[in-house]
Amino acid sequence: MPPDSPRSPNSGSLTRPRSPVSRLLQKPVCTLQEYERLRHDRRCLFVALDCEFISDVHWDAEPDPAKVFASQAPTEVGLAFAHEPFLTSAVTTAHPRIEPSLGSFCHDFHVEALSIKVEEPYREKLQQIAQNPPVGERGRGKLREQFRFGESEFVPVKQVEARVCQVVNQYRDRTPGDKVVLVGYALDADFNAMRQGFPALADLCDSFLDLSTIIRSSIFTEAAVIEPPGLRSLLKLFGYPQDDYGLSESTYHNAGNDAVKTLTLLNDLAQPSHVETLRLRQQIPRDILLVDDVKLDDVKNVAFVRPADGLLLPTALDNVLKLAILALPYRPQAVGTHKQLKKLPSSADKIHVLRGWVRFGSAEDMKAFVEAKDHMMCESRELRIAPRGAPASHTRKAAASLDARRSQEATDASFPLGNGSNDEDDLVLGGLFQ
């Protein structure tokens, strides 16, 4: 007997048929292995969904999650889908130091996105924003995110379901494949909106994939010291520019943009380097500040990390997460990297330099870190770890030998200032620890 039959096979009593959303909830994709299998199935189409909601929550205090969840009238429905398969995503051809972007992802995979503004509740939300200006650091009000990847359209409440299903059906008709996988991040509220506003979408989907579930089940362990990062934190963690992850979490999100971000991050999870990044991130407490490309000046208890041979930091220590893991037993407060373009001696050529630094809460912690790790070997290379003002003789030796290696290592070499001075003196901090 089919599972949706009104009569139970074990008793003669009538049972209530399951709703389309309830049936879809029985078909989750829960692990990276399952996603990998679907990604290589050319019949599978990934449709990203995000919803935004009306909320009467006062943002001058911590919101009540139950109250937020109960505010389930969707003001906006965002959809995104790619017309090129993700089959090439696991092997990136881009240079690892080239910054990714949502725009390049949309271009490469021919992404189509739509922001459907549900006319009546959306206008009600705008009125609510006008009546409740931002209050405090959590204030939300005048800041609204613009849709960057397509055009928005206003749709009356009664026509939202038909429009959503029409868009998904058109995508399926134009793209080879017949198995639709619904994708989102923390989909509980989105499923609640689907139940009330457009349940027929669930009947068009063969399964669903929640990115937060995939990360929690396949990457984060029970020993993780933080929860899985949200969309904004994931984009920042994977190296996307600020324009892509946004200036502030307090900005009202755009559902279409978030759907594009979700689809992008789904593709990113196919890359082993990003999975490794998440495995590292779960070990680092949130109270340790992690920053990229920040210059330092007159900051106490800072140890600088640089290679003794004048090359870039080895791959095992070439980002803030890896440096933080190295320093974790010594109670670091902040970990960062510093990138520079340096001029080669007797040449107009310039090369990129990448170094690291760790700030501690006390001189004792910094001293313990330096004594334990200075002169350590990493990938058969010696590292120099020293506090500010330490002798820089090893950098002068590196400078003297660099020209001899230029033809072979010019793109990877790290070169200190030509005058042989302690080049950390020229680093400037913009009030990070003030």
Side-chain angles (χ1 to χ4, degrees), residues 48 79-86 100-114 147-150 235 240 244 256-265 267-268:
L79 297 168
F81 24 81
H83 290 277
E84 290 291 330
F86 288 172
S101 73
L102 295 178
S104 62
F105 170 78
C106 290
H107 176 270
D108 293 343
F109 290 95
H110 298 162
V111 171
E112 183 179 350
L114 181 66
F147 186 34
R148 299 172 51 198
F149 305 103
L235 289 171
Y240 286 81
D244 282 346
N257 288 344
D258 281 356
V260 170
K261 294 172 186 177
T262 299
L263 201 64
T264 304
L265 290 168
N267 177 64
D268 284 347

Side-chain angles (χ1 to χ4, degrees), residues 230-306:
L231 285 180
R232 179 178 182 273
S233 297
L234 284 170
L235 289 171
K236 187 174 182 180
L237 197 60
F238 292 165
Y240 286 81
Q242 190 177 73
D243 286 346
D244 282 346
Y245 60 76
L247 290 173
S248 172
E249 292 182 349
S250 67
T251 304
Y252 269 117
H253 293 186
N254 178 281
N257 288 344
D258 281 356
V260 170
K261 294 172 186 177
T262 299
L263 201 64
T264 304
L265 290 168
L266 175 68
N267 177 64
D268 284 347
L269 283 182
Q271 299 186 28
S273 61
H274 288 144
V275 174
E276 180 60 23
T277 293
L278 287 173
R279 294 192 194 281
L280 292 174
R281 183 66 187 92
Q282 68 174 317
Q283 303 176 52
I284 305 169
R286 289 196 186 277
D287 58 0
I288 298 177
L289 184 63
L290 303 174
V291 291
D292 285 304
D293 199 15
V294 170
K295 302 178 181 181
L296 297 178
D297 184 34
D298 296 330
V299 180
K300 295 181 179 179
N301 305 326
V302 171
F304 292 93
V305 182
R306 51 191 178 184

Side-chain angles (χ1 to χ4, degrees), residues 21-32:
V21 175
S22 296
R23 290 196 294 270
L24 179 59
L25 285 171
Q26 303 302 310
K27 306 170 185 176
V29 178
C30 297
T31 66
L32 274 176

